[in-house]
Structure formats: structure tokens, C-alpha cells
Amino acid sequence: MKMKKKIAWSDYMTYIGVTIAFVIVSFLKKGGALNRSQLGLLVPICAYITMAISLNLTVGILGELSLGHAGFMSIGAFSGIIAAMSLVNVIPYDGVRMAIAMVVGAVMAGIFGFFIGIPVLRLRGDYLAIVTLAFGEIIKEILTCLIVGVDAEGLHILINIDGSKTASDLNLLEGGKAIIKGAQGAVGTKTIASFTAGYILIMISLIIILNLIRSRSGRAIMAIRDNRIAAESVGIEITKYKMMAFVTSAAIAGAAGALYGLNYSSLAAAKFDFNTSILVLVFVVLGGLGNIWGSIVAATVLYILPEALRSFADYRMLMYAIVLIVVMLATNSSKAKDLLDKLKPAGKEEEQ
Amino acid sequence: MSFTFERGKLAAVPSGSVIPERDLDKTPILETRHLGIDFGGLHAVQDFNLTIGRTEIAGLIGPNGAGKTTVFNLLTKVYQPTRGTILLDGMDTAGKTTEQINRMGIARTFQNIRLFNNLSVEDNVKIGLHNQKSYSMLAGILRLPSYWKQEKAAHERALALLSIFEMQDMADVRAGSLPYGAQRRLEIVRALATSPSVLLLDEPAAGMNPSETAELMETIVTIRDIFQIAIVLIEHDMSLVMNICEGICVLNFGQVIAKGSPEEIQANPAVIEAYLGRKKEE
Ligand SMILES: Nc1ncnc2c1ncn2[C@@H]1O[C@H](COP(=O)(O)OP(=O)(O)OP(=O)(O)O)[C@@H](O)[C@H]1O
Ligand SMILES: [Mg+2]
């Protein structure tokens, strides 16, 4: 019955759980126990965990279905890449540039979140879902037209709408460098994303979201989710708190995008399509709406699974589907829920 | 029901309402003038004039579908009136939103309970305290001293408010899993948390057993005495209405058919007909 103590406890368990996982994996990495493909998964997993917990803020905590979360991720990825690449000669420390890139990615995605939120948050339910879906696709198309380069004079940006322009139209000075080449996306990116940066990003995102939920603003957001009319009747400004949740969610997704983008030497905007938005939504739904720890576990397991099943070759997608179904059954049946609650005394229940 | 309490002397005011004499020398806390709303062709509420004294317990009664809940929805701007004005403490509330109205001093409960079901009882009350607290989102995330200070105060205030109904032991229970009567009581506590000057209760005793109702009756009076606020209640339970209400207003088909003290209302032929007439129809 004592919900509150359990809540505080479950927050700490989440931080501790993530930290333990980070320490163990770091040791495995140092000890050479991970092969190249496993090492390659570490940063993307961190990025997708962050995506899942940030989307959970919109879907689980605010209670609005968003189908365009990958759009914010792509804004963060590309603005983060531009920031990191244009600072290559200015700031020699990779870690510092990585941090700046994540902040820039978060701010840019947050700004977009705000302007998209103005029309979108007036809508409800299905309509909001459809518009966010459209937004994700529009962002993808716009980023596909983007050509960006940097030289001694600073940044050069072209929007290649008719498809006639190429990176050479940037007319960069000697020593300049194209960072983003339209449909090809970001090319020649110096990969500075690290597992440690991923861990730090997850922890910061967790602190933001968990502390928000336990605060006055977070309660207002959940009040809107549970009963909008009652929330209004006790004097809560619906638009303000919806916007707060939406922008925070977008900003965190932007930071995750920057982490993800700076993990690859080349990255096309097409990567952040509808499927990516849905993938993240699947993590959130299967992990449990409003359940942050669930999002972390679901993102990790479901991201690793297809890779782990590579040896099964043809049966890979079948296995994936079976696991999805099993997870869905497990999270839906009340008996399984009770069982999970017993296994995990600090988890789940209080979020329902 | 043995509960009795000293009802103040009533006095008539120009709107035709009666309010307690003790409130006469102050601006009425709530006043409506020619208030009306149409839903398509239906005149759900017409020419509704009511004055509520600052410490009055007033009753709004009438058969099903008379327009009682609609009046509450008009007062709280869930619906914008088609006609008429609403004065809250002498101030016109035209153009205000539901959320602004609450901050101006009207709090309410709902006929179909509307709690924040997935949150704890305490959190429901703390959400009612939302505008009494002021620390920012950032202070909350960074857990600055203002967060700890105000959260501690909110916790204590929430428990104090819950103790009005002796619900402090249920603070950590999920609101949605409370028994029906407790849910109704929690709605009242949440409304009180917003520190209103007028409390609107829409069928607070619905679904309660007689002993719960009797207890509720006493608590409503206690609330008025402690907080010195006006309470307007819609209720079908006539023993409750006649026991604790001072001025009563009767609606039928969107129109006021009688106003007065409980004794006057009970003796009013139009009221009797409205209620008996309904019985015949059924
Ligand atoms: N949003 C609306 N749109 C159309 N008609 C409405 C709306 N709200 C209420 N009405 C109608 O207005 C009339 C008054 O309804 P209201 O809910 O105010 O009645 P009530 O007096 O509260 O009845 P009850 O005792 O059953 O709660 C009814 O005929 C109802 O159908
Ligand atoms: Mg009603």
C-alpha cells in the first residue's frame, strides 16, 4: 500500500540498475569479451533507451500518442553533427564536443517541439497521432534536401529543393568541408560518440523525467492525462503543461539523436523514418506506459534481440515476433503482472 | 437523521433569492443575472438569477434533467453562457476559462466522479494545491531548496485536508481503487485544496448509504464553519438538502420555479407539482 516509499525506492533502483549494467558492460569491454558487432551496438542501445524514456514522457506520462518521435531524433542528430563537425578545429577534446553536440541537438529539437506543439497540442487522440506522423515525414524530407558545409568563413547552408544542387554549390573556401550532402546525409563525420557519453545521457534523462514526475509540474502533466476536465477545474493550465511535457520529450530525443548521429561516419535522414518512430513506440508500449524502467528494459532487449538472433538466420523475424507476443501477453495478463510485481518489489505497480 | 444545526436567519435580496442575514452587509460571493444557455433548440437553462451569500450553504434542486449540472458548468465556464452575466465577488467572469475561474475562487466536484485515478490520494490533493505552490519545473528537476520546502508544506497541507474526512491513512492508496463514497469525499478534499471561496458540490451524497450521508452532512457544515466559504450543493437526497441548506433554488426544465428557505420550498405548490408531476410521468 505504501506507494510513496516504493516510488522513491524504485527511482533509486532505476539509477542503480542502469549504473550496474554500465559498469558490467564496461568491464566486459575492457576485458575484450565483446566482439566488434557487439561493441557497435552499445551506443545505439543507449540512444534508443533514451528515445524510449523520452517518448514515454509524451505517451505514458502526458498520455498523448505521438508517431513522429524519430523526427526529433533526426533534428538532434543533424544539428549535433553540424555542431560537432564545425568545432573540430576549435575544440580538440572529443568529450567536450560530444557534450556540446548533445546540448545543441536537445535545444534544436526542443525549439522544433515548441513550434510543432503549438498546433499539434490543440488536437486530441487520433488527430494528434496523425499530425505527429506527418511531421516526422516532413522533417525527414526537409533534411534530405539539406546541404551544409563549413569553412573558414563559418557555416554554409543550402536547401536543395529541386534536386539540382550539390555540395560543390556551397562554394567552400580552400580547406572547407561538406558536412551534410542532401540525400546522402551526413558524410565524413568524425565519430566521437562513446558508451560513456551514452550512459551519462541516459542518467541525465532519467533524472529529468523521474524528478519531473515527482514534482508539481509532473503531477499537473499526469493530472491532464488522467482527467483533463478535472485538471482544468483545479486551475491547471492545460496548454502550458502539455507543452512542457512535449518540449522536454522532444529535447531529450534530440540529445539521443546527437549521440546516435555521431556514432556513424555517414548517416542518411532516411534512417529516421516512420519505422523508427514505431520501433520506439513499441519499446514504450511493451515496457509499460508510464513505466520508465520498463522502457529501458524493453529498448535494450528488443534492440539486441534481432542481432542476437542473427545465427538463426531465416527464423530471425519469427523469433522476434514470438518474443513480442510473449512480452505482450506477459505485460497484459494480470497474473503475469502480479508475478512480475513479486519478482521486482520496487517496480511497475505504482506506475499503473 | 438526527443531525441539526443552527441555521441563520434568511433575508430576501433584489434577485429574489434569500441569503443568510449575516452575509447581507457584504458583496454576495456569487451572483448570476439572466444567465442562460441553449443547446441547439433546447433552452437548458433560462433567465437564471441567483445570489449566494459569502458563508451560505445553498441548495440547487430539481427533477432529473432540470439543468442543475448545466448551471455548475456555466458557473465554471465548462460551457460559455449564451446569455447573462456571472459575478464572482462582484467581478464579471465573462471570457474567463475554467482554469482561471478556479483561480478566481470557484472549486467544484463532479456528478460522475472525476479523480486522477492512476495517482495516489495524496497526489490528487497535491494537484488541488497546484496553484498554492510556486516552484518552477527546473527547481523541481534539480530539487532545489524551494522544491523540498514547498513539497514538505504540500505534504502536510494535503494530510491536514484529508483529515477533514479522516482519510489521512489512505494517502498512499491509488485514487481509482478507493470505494465509491471515499472517492466522492476525495473530490471534495481536492476541490478544497484549491482554496476556493465558493465550493460547488454536484450530488455529493449520490451512492452513499444513509450513515455515510449523515456524516457527510455534518462535514459539509464543518467545512463551511472552518473555511468560512459559500457552498452550493446539488442533491436529490431531500433530507440532506432540507437539513443543511439555507437558501434553496428549485429548477425545472431549465427555469427557476421557486426560491426560499427549506420550509418555504417544502410548502411551495409549484415545487410539489414539479416533483409529483415527474412521478406521474415515470
Ligand atoms: N452538452 C450538452 N449538449 C446538449 N444537451 C445537454 C448538454 N448538457 C446537458 N444537456 C441537456 O440539458 C438538460 C439539463 O441537463 P443537466 O445535466 O444540467 O440536468 P441535471 O439537472 O443535472 O439532471 P440530473 O439530476 O439527472 O443530473 C438535459 O436535457 C440534458 O440532456
Ligand atoms: Mg446533474
Side-chain angles (χ1 to χ4, degrees), chain A residues 16-68:
Chain A
I16 292 169
V18 169
T19 304
I20 290 175
F22 171 70
V23 170
I24 291 175
V25 174
S26 297
F27 269 110
L28 291 177
K29 198 176 145 196
K30 272 226 178 72
L34 300 178
N35 62 34
R36 257 194 87 217
S37 77
Q38 284 165 339
L39 284 174
L41 287 177
L42 294 181
V43 171
I45 287 174
C46 291
Y48 276 101
I49 288 176
T50 312
M51 284 298 288
I53 56 183
S54 76
L55 185 62
N56 209 335
L57 179 57
T58 301
V59 180
I61 310 294
L62 176 63
E64 297 287 4
L65 184 56
S66 164
L67 298 178

Short mmCIF file of all heavy atoms in Angstrom, two decimals, chain A residues 16-68:
data_model
loop_
_atom_site.label_atom_id
_atom_site.label_comp_id
_atom_site.label_asym_id
_atom_site.label_seq_id
_atom_site.Cartn_x
_atom_site.Cartn_y
_atom_site.Cartn_z
N ILE A 16 20.44 2.82 -10.00
CA ILE A 16 21.44 1.82 -9.63
C ILE A 16 21.51 0.73 -10.71
O ILE A 16 22.59 0.33 -11.13
CB ILE A 16 21.11 1.21 -8.24
CG1 ILE A 16 21.29 2.27 -7.15
CG2 ILE A 16 22.01 0.01 -7.96
CD1 ILE A 16 20.73 1.86 -5.80
N GLY A 17 20.35 0.29 -11.17
CA GLY A 17 20.31 -0.75 -12.19
C GLY A 17 21.06 -0.34 -13.44
O GLY A 17 21.88 -1.10 -13.98
N VAL A 18 20.80 0.89 -13.90
CA VAL A 18 21.47 1.38 -15.11
C VAL A 18 22.98 1.46 -14.88
O VAL A 18 23.79 1.07 -15.73
CB VAL A 18 20.91 2.77 -15.51
CG1 VAL A 18 21.77 3.42 -16.59
CG2 VAL A 18 19.47 2.63 -16.00
N THR A 19 23.35 1.93 -13.68
CA THR A 19 24.78 2.08 -13.39
C THR A 19 25.48 0.73 -13.32
O THR A 19 26.58 0.55 -13.86
CB THR A 19 24.96 2.85 -12.06
OG1 THR A 19 24.28 4.09 -12.17
CG2 THR A 19 26.42 3.10 -11.76
N ILE A 20 24.83 -0.24 -12.68
CA ILE A 20 25.43 -1.58 -12.60
C ILE A 20 25.62 -2.15 -14.01
O ILE A 20 26.69 -2.68 -14.34
CB ILE A 20 24.54 -2.52 -11.74
CG1 ILE A 20 24.61 -2.09 -10.28
CG2 ILE A 20 24.98 -3.97 -11.90
CD1 ILE A 20 23.67 -2.88 -9.37
N ALA A 21 24.59 -2.01 -14.83
CA ALA A 21 24.70 -2.52 -16.21
C ALA A 21 25.87 -1.84 -16.93
O ALA A 21 26.65 -2.50 -17.63
CB ALA A 21 23.39 -2.26 -16.96
N PHE A 22 26.01 -0.54 -16.72
CA PHE A 22 27.10 0.20 -17.37
C PHE A 22 28.45 -0.32 -16.91
O PHE A 22 29.35 -0.57 -17.71
CB PHE A 22 26.97 1.69 -17.06
CG PHE A 22 28.15 2.51 -17.49
CD1 PHE A 22 28.40 2.73 -18.85
CD2 PHE A 22 29.02 3.05 -16.56
CE1 PHE A 22 29.50 3.47 -19.24
CE2 PHE A 22 30.12 3.79 -16.95
CZ PHE A 22 30.37 4.00 -18.30
N VAL A 23 28.59 -0.52 -15.60
CA VAL A 23 29.87 -0.97 -15.06
C VAL A 23 30.21 -2.36 -15.60
O VAL A 23 31.33 -2.62 -16.06
CB VAL A 23 29.82 -0.98 -13.50
CG1 VAL A 23 31.04 -1.67 -12.93
CG2 VAL A 23 29.71 0.44 -12.98
N ILE A 24 29.23 -3.26 -15.58
CA ILE A 24 29.49 -4.63 -16.06
C ILE A 24 29.91 -4.61 -17.52
O ILE A 24 30.92 -5.22 -17.91
CB ILE A 24 28.22 -5.50 -15.87
CG1 ILE A 24 27.96 -5.73 -14.37
CG2 ILE A 24 28.39 -6.84 -16.58
CD1 ILE A 24 26.68 -6.49 -14.08
N VAL A 25 29.14 -3.89 -18.33
CA VAL A 25 29.46 -3.87 -19.76
C VAL A 25 30.82 -3.22 -19.99
O VAL A 25 31.60 -3.67 -20.84
CB VAL A 25 28.35 -3.15 -20.56
CG1 VAL A 25 28.76 -3.00 -22.03
CG2 VAL A 25 27.04 -3.90 -20.44
N SER A 26 31.14 -2.19 -19.20
CA SER A 26 32.45 -1.54 -19.35
C SER A 26 33.58 -2.53 -19.06
O SER A 26 34.59 -2.55 -19.76
CB SER A 26 32.57 -0.35 -18.41
OG SER A 26 31.63 0.62 -18.75
N PHE A 27 33.38 -3.36 -18.02
CA PHE A 27 34.40 -4.36 -17.71
C PHE A 27 34.54 -5.38 -18.83
O PHE A 27 35.66 -5.73 -19.22
CB PHE A 27 34.06 -5.07 -16.38
CG PHE A 27 34.68 -4.40 -15.19
CD1 PHE A 27 33.90 -3.73 -14.27
CD2 PHE A 27 36.06 -4.44 -15.02
CE1 PHE A 27 34.47 -3.09 -13.17
CE2 PHE A 27 36.64 -3.82 -13.93
CZ PHE A 27 35.85 -3.14 -13.01
N LEU A 28 33.39 -5.84 -19.33
CA LEU A 28 33.42 -6.81 -20.43
C LEU A 28 34.17 -6.22 -21.62
O LEU A 28 34.95 -6.89 -22.30
CB LEU A 28 32.00 -7.19 -20.84
CG LEU A 28 31.20 -8.02 -19.84
CD1 LEU A 28 29.79 -8.24 -20.34
CD2 LEU A 28 31.89 -9.34 -19.56
N LYS A 29 33.90 -4.94 -21.85
CA LYS A 29 34.52 -4.25 -22.98
C LYS A 29 36.04 -4.18 -22.78
O LYS A 29 36.82 -4.54 -23.67
CB LYS A 29 33.93 -2.83 -23.03
CG LYS A 29 34.09 -2.11 -24.33
CD LYS A 29 33.35 -0.78 -24.23
CE LYS A 29 34.10 0.27 -25.00
NZ LYS A 29 33.68 1.62 -24.64
N LYS A 30 36.45 -3.76 -21.59
CA LYS A 30 37.89 -3.66 -21.28
C LYS A 30 38.55 -5.03 -21.38
O LYS A 30 39.66 -5.15 -21.89
CB LYS A 30 38.07 -3.13 -19.85
CG LYS A 30 38.12 -1.62 -19.76
CD LYS A 30 39.25 -1.15 -18.87
CE LYS A 30 39.31 0.36 -18.83
NZ LYS A 30 38.17 0.91 -18.04
N GLY A 31 37.87 -6.03 -20.87
CA GLY A 31 38.43 -7.38 -20.86
C GLY A 31 38.41 -8.05 -22.23
O GLY A 31 38.82 -9.19 -22.37
N GLY A 32 37.88 -7.35 -23.22
CA GLY A 32 37.87 -7.89 -24.58
C GLY A 32 36.85 -9.00 -24.78
O GLY A 32 36.96 -9.81 -25.70
N ALA A 33 35.83 -9.05 -23.93
CA ALA A 33 34.84 -10.12 -24.02
C ALA A 33 33.78 -9.84 -25.09
O ALA A 33 32.96 -10.69 -25.40
CB ALA A 33 34.17 -10.33 -22.67
N LEU A 34 33.77 -8.63 -25.61
CA LEU A 34 32.75 -8.29 -26.61
C LEU A 34 33.37 -8.27 -28.00
O LEU A 34 34.47 -7.75 -28.19
CB LEU A 34 32.14 -6.92 -26.29
CG LEU A 34 31.45 -6.78 -24.94
CD1 LEU A 34 30.93 -5.37 -24.75
CD2 LEU A 34 30.32 -7.77 -24.80
N ASN A 35 32.66 -8.83 -28.98
CA ASN A 35 33.19 -8.80 -30.34
C ASN A 35 32.83 -7.46 -31.00
O ASN A 35 32.12 -6.63 -30.43
CB ASN A 35 32.70 -9.99 -31.16
CG ASN A 35 31.19 -10.00 -31.28
OD1 ASN A 35 30.56 -8.94 -31.35
ND2 ASN A 35 30.61 -11.18 -31.30
N ARG A 36 33.28 -7.29 -32.22
CA ARG A 36 33.12 -5.98 -32.85
C ARG A 36 31.65 -5.60 -33.03
O ARG A 36 31.27 -4.46 -32.79
CB ARG A 36 33.82 -5.97 -34.22
CG ARG A 36 35.16 -5.24 -34.17
CD ARG A 36 35.67 -4.94 -35.56
NE ARG A 36 35.19 -3.70 -36.09
CZ ARG A 36 34.88 -3.51 -37.38
NH1 ARG A 36 34.97 -4.49 -38.24
NH2 ARG A 36 34.46 -2.33 -37.80
N SER A 37 30.85 -6.56 -33.44
CA SER A 37 29.45 -6.19 -33.68
C SER A 37 28.73 -5.88 -32.38
O SER A 37 27.88 -5.01 -32.32
CB SER A 37 28.73 -7.29 -34.46
OG SER A 37 28.42 -8.36 -33.61
N GLN A 38 29.12 -6.58 -31.32
CA GLN A 38 28.52 -6.26 -30.01
C GLN A 38 28.93 -4.87 -29.55
O GLN A 38 28.10 -4.10 -29.06
CB GLN A 38 28.94 -7.30 -28.96
CG GLN A 38 28.20 -8.62 -29.12
CD GLN A 38 28.83 -9.76 -28.35
OE1 GLN A 38 30.01 -9.70 -28.00
NE2 GLN A 38 28.05 -10.79 -28.10
N LEU A 39 30.21 -4.55 -29.75
CA LEU A 39 30.67 -3.21 -29.36
C LEU A 39 29.91 -2.14 -30.13
O LEU A 39 29.56 -1.09 -29.60
CB LEU A 39 32.17 -3.07 -29.64
CG LEU A 39 33.09 -3.78 -28.65
CD1 LEU A 39 34.54 -3.71 -29.11
CD2 LEU A 39 32.95 -3.17 -27.26
N GLY A 40 29.63 -2.44 -31.39
CA GLY A 40 28.94 -1.48 -32.25
C GLY A 40 27.52 -1.20 -31.79
O GLY A 40 26.92 -0.20 -32.16
N LEU A 41 26.97 -2.12 -30.99
CA LEU A 41 25.58 -1.94 -30.54
C LEU A 41 25.47 -1.01 -29.33
O LEU A 41 24.39 -0.48 -29.05
CB LEU A 41 24.99 -3.29 -30.14
CG LEU A 41 24.63 -4.27 -31.26
CD1 LEU A 41 24.13 -5.57 -30.67
CD2 LEU A 41 23.58 -3.64 -32.16
N LEU A 42 26.58 -0.81 -28.62
CA LEU A 42 26.48 -0.13 -27.32
C LEU A 42 25.89 1.27 -27.42
O LEU A 42 24.94 1.62 -26.72
CB LEU A 42 27.85 -0.09 -26.64
CG LEU A 42 28.41 -1.45 -26.23
CD1 LEU A 42 29.77 -1.29 -25.55
CD2 LEU A 42 27.44 -2.17 -25.31
N VAL A 43 26.45 2.09 -28.31
CA VAL A 43 25.96 3.47 -28.40
C VAL A 43 24.52 3.52 -28.91
O VAL A 43 23.68 4.21 -28.32
CB VAL A 43 26.91 4.34 -29.25
CG1 VAL A 43 26.30 5.70 -29.52
CG2 VAL A 43 28.25 4.48 -28.54
N PRO A 44 24.20 2.80 -30.00
CA PRO A 44 22.79 2.83 -30.43
C PRO A 44 21.82 2.39 -29.34
O PRO A 44 20.74 2.97 -29.20
CB PRO A 44 22.75 1.85 -31.60
CG PRO A 44 24.14 1.77 -32.09
CD PRO A 44 25.04 2.05 -30.94
N ILE A 45 22.20 1.38 -28.55
CA ILE A 45 21.29 0.96 -27.46
C ILE A 45 21.05 2.14 -26.51
O ILE A 45 19.91 2.42 -26.15
CB ILE A 45 21.87 -0.24 -26.68
CG1 ILE A 45 21.78 -1.50 -27.53
CG2 ILE A 45 21.12 -0.45 -25.37
CD1 ILE A 45 22.46 -2.70 -26.91
N CYS A 46 22.13 2.81 -26.14
CA CYS A 46 21.97 3.97 -25.24
C CYS A 46 21.04 5.00 -25.88
O CYS A 46 20.17 5.57 -25.21
CB CYS A 46 23.32 4.61 -24.94
SG CYS A 46 24.38 3.59 -23.93
N ALA A 47 21.24 5.25 -27.19
CA ALA A 47 20.41 6.24 -27.88
C ALA A 47 18.94 5.80 -27.86
O ALA A 47 18.04 6.60 -27.59
CB ALA A 47 20.89 6.45 -29.31
N TYR A 48 18.69 4.52 -28.13
CA TYR A 48 17.30 4.06 -28.17
C TYR A 48 16.67 3.97 -26.79
O TYR A 48 15.46 4.20 -26.64
CB TYR A 48 17.19 2.73 -28.93
CG TYR A 48 17.11 2.96 -30.41
CD1 TYR A 48 18.22 2.81 -31.24
CD2 TYR A 48 15.92 3.40 -30.99
CE1 TYR A 48 18.15 3.06 -32.60
CE2 TYR A 48 15.83 3.66 -32.34
CZ TYR A 48 16.94 3.50 -33.15
OH TYR A 48 16.86 3.76 -34.48
N ILE A 49 17.47 3.66 -25.77
CA ILE A 49 16.91 3.70 -24.40
C ILE A 49 16.45 5.13 -24.11
O ILE A 49 15.35 5.36 -23.60
CB ILE A 49 17.97 3.25 -23.37
CG1 ILE A 49 18.19 1.74 -23.47
CG2 ILE A 49 17.53 3.63 -21.94
CD1 ILE A 49 19.29 1.22 -22.55
N THR A 50 17.31 6.09 -24.45
CA THR A 50 16.95 7.49 -24.20
C THR A 50 15.71 7.87 -24.99
O THR A 50 14.82 8.56 -24.48
CB THR A 50 18.13 8.42 -24.56
OG1 THR A 50 19.31 7.90 -23.96
CG2 THR A 50 17.88 9.82 -24.07
N MET A 51 15.65 7.42 -26.25
CA MET A 51 14.46 7.69 -27.07
C MET A 51 13.22 7.13 -26.38
O MET A 51 12.17 7.79 -26.32
CB MET A 51 14.60 7.04 -28.45
CG MET A 51 15.52 7.76 -29.40
SD MET A 51 14.94 9.41 -29.76
CE MET A 51 13.52 9.08 -30.80
N ALA A 52 13.33 5.90 -25.89
CA ALA A 52 12.16 5.25 -25.29
C ALA A 52 11.70 6.00 -24.04
O ALA A 52 10.51 6.26 -23.87
CB ALA A 52 12.46 3.79 -24.97
N ILE A 53 12.66 6.37 -23.17
CA ILE A 53 12.20 7.05 -21.96
C ILE A 53 11.66 8.44 -22.28
O ILE A 53 10.74 8.91 -21.65
CB ILE A 53 13.25 7.07 -20.81
CG1 ILE A 53 14.55 7.69 -21.24
CG2 ILE A 53 13.50 5.70 -20.29
CD1 ILE A 53 15.61 7.63 -20.14
N SER A 54 12.21 9.08 -23.31
CA SER A 54 11.67 10.40 -23.64
C SER A 54 10.28 10.28 -24.27
O SER A 54 9.39 11.08 -23.98
CB SER A 54 12.62 11.18 -24.55
OG SER A 54 12.56 10.70 -25.87
N LEU A 55 10.07 9.26 -25.11
CA LEU A 55 8.73 9.09 -25.69
C LEU A 55 7.73 8.70 -24.61
O LEU A 55 6.55 9.06 -24.68
CB LEU A 55 8.75 8.05 -26.81
CG LEU A 55 7.42 7.88 -27.56
CD1 LEU A 55 7.02 9.19 -28.25
CD2 LEU A 55 7.47 6.75 -28.57
N ASN A 56 8.21 7.98 -23.61
CA ASN A 56 7.31 7.60 -22.51
C ASN A 56 6.76 8.84 -21.81
O ASN A 56 5.64 8.84 -21.30
CB ASN A 56 8.06 6.71 -21.51
CG ASN A 56 7.12 5.76 -20.79
OD1 ASN A 56 5.93 6.02 -20.66
ND2 ASN A 56 7.63 4.65 -20.33
N LEU A 57 7.54 9.91 -21.81
CA LEU A 57 7.04 11.16 -21.22
C LEU A 57 5.81 11.66 -21.98
O LEU A 57 4.82 12.10 -21.39
CB LEU A 57 8.15 12.21 -21.22
CG LEU A 57 7.80 13.59 -20.64
CD1 LEU A 57 7.30 13.50 -19.22
CD2 LEU A 57 9.01 14.51 -20.72
N THR A 58 5.85 11.59 -23.31
CA THR A 58 4.71 12.04 -24.10
C THR A 58 3.56 11.04 -24.05
O THR A 58 2.41 11.41 -23.84
CB THR A 58 5.12 12.26 -25.57
OG1 THR A 58 6.18 13.22 -25.60
CG2 THR A 58 3.97 12.76 -26.41
N VAL A 59 3.89 9.77 -24.25
CA VAL A 59 2.82 8.77 -24.40
C VAL A 59 2.32 8.27 -23.04
O VAL A 59 1.11 8.17 -22.83
CB VAL A 59 3.31 7.59 -25.27
CG1 VAL A 59 2.21 6.56 -25.44
CG2 VAL A 59 3.76 8.10 -26.63
N GLY A 60 3.24 7.96 -22.16
CA GLY A 60 2.84 7.35 -20.89
C GLY A 60 2.49 8.36 -19.81
O GLY A 60 1.55 8.15 -19.05
N ILE A 61 3.23 9.45 -19.74
CA ILE A 61 3.02 10.40 -18.64
C ILE A 61 2.01 11.48 -19.05
O ILE A 61 1.11 11.82 -18.30
CB ILE A 61 4.36 11.08 -18.24
CG1 ILE A 61 5.47 10.04 -18.00
CG2 ILE A 61 4.17 11.97 -17.02
CD1 ILE A 61 5.25 9.13 -16.84
N LEU A 62 2.17 12.01 -20.27
CA LEU A 62 1.21 13.02 -20.74
C LEU A 62 -0.03 12.36 -21.36
O LEU A 62 -1.11 12.95 -21.38
CB LEU A 62 1.88 13.94 -21.78
CG LEU A 62 0.99 14.99 -22.45
CD1 LEU A 62 0.46 15.98 -21.42
CD2 LEU A 62 1.74 15.73 -23.54
N GLY A 63 0.16 11.14 -21.88
CA GLY A 63 -0.98 10.41 -22.41
C GLY A 63 -1.39 10.82 -23.81
O GLY A 63 -2.55 10.68 -24.18
N GLU A 64 -0.45 11.35 -24.60
CA GLU A 64 -0.77 11.68 -25.99
C GLU A 64 0.06 10.80 -26.92
O GLU A 64 1.27 10.68 -26.75
CB GLU A 64 -0.45 13.15 -26.29
CG GLU A 64 -1.27 14.14 -25.47
CD GLU A 64 -2.73 14.24 -25.91
OE1 GLU A 64 -3.15 13.48 -26.81
OE2 GLU A 64 -3.45 15.07 -25.35
N LEU A 65 -0.59 10.21 -27.89
CA LEU A 65 0.11 9.30 -28.80
C LEU A 65 0.87 10.12 -29.84
O LEU A 65 0.28 10.90 -30.58
CB LEU A 65 -0.91 8.39 -29.49
CG LEU A 65 -0.34 7.31 -30.39
CD1 LEU A 65 0.64 6.43 -29.63
CD2 LEU A 65 -1.46 6.46 -30.96
N SER A 66 2.18 9.95 -29.86
CA SER A 66 2.99 10.65 -30.86
C SER A 66 3.65 9.63 -31.78
O SER A 66 4.27 8.69 -31.32
CB SER A 66 4.05 11.50 -30.18
OG SER A 66 5.04 11.88 -31.11
N LEU A 67 3.50 9.82 -33.08
CA LEU A 67 4.07 8.87 -34.04
C LEU A 67 5.23 9.48 -34.82
O LEU A 67 5.62 8.97 -35.85
CB LEU A 67 2.99 8.39 -35.01
CG LEU A 67 1.81 7.64 -34.40
CD1 LEU A 67 0.80 7.26 -35.46
CD2 LEU A 67 2.29 6.39 -33.68
N GLY A 68 5.75 10.59 -34.35
CA GLY A 68 6.81 11.25 -35.11
C GLY A 68 8.06 11.48 -34.30
O GLY A 68 8.83 12.40 -34.58
#
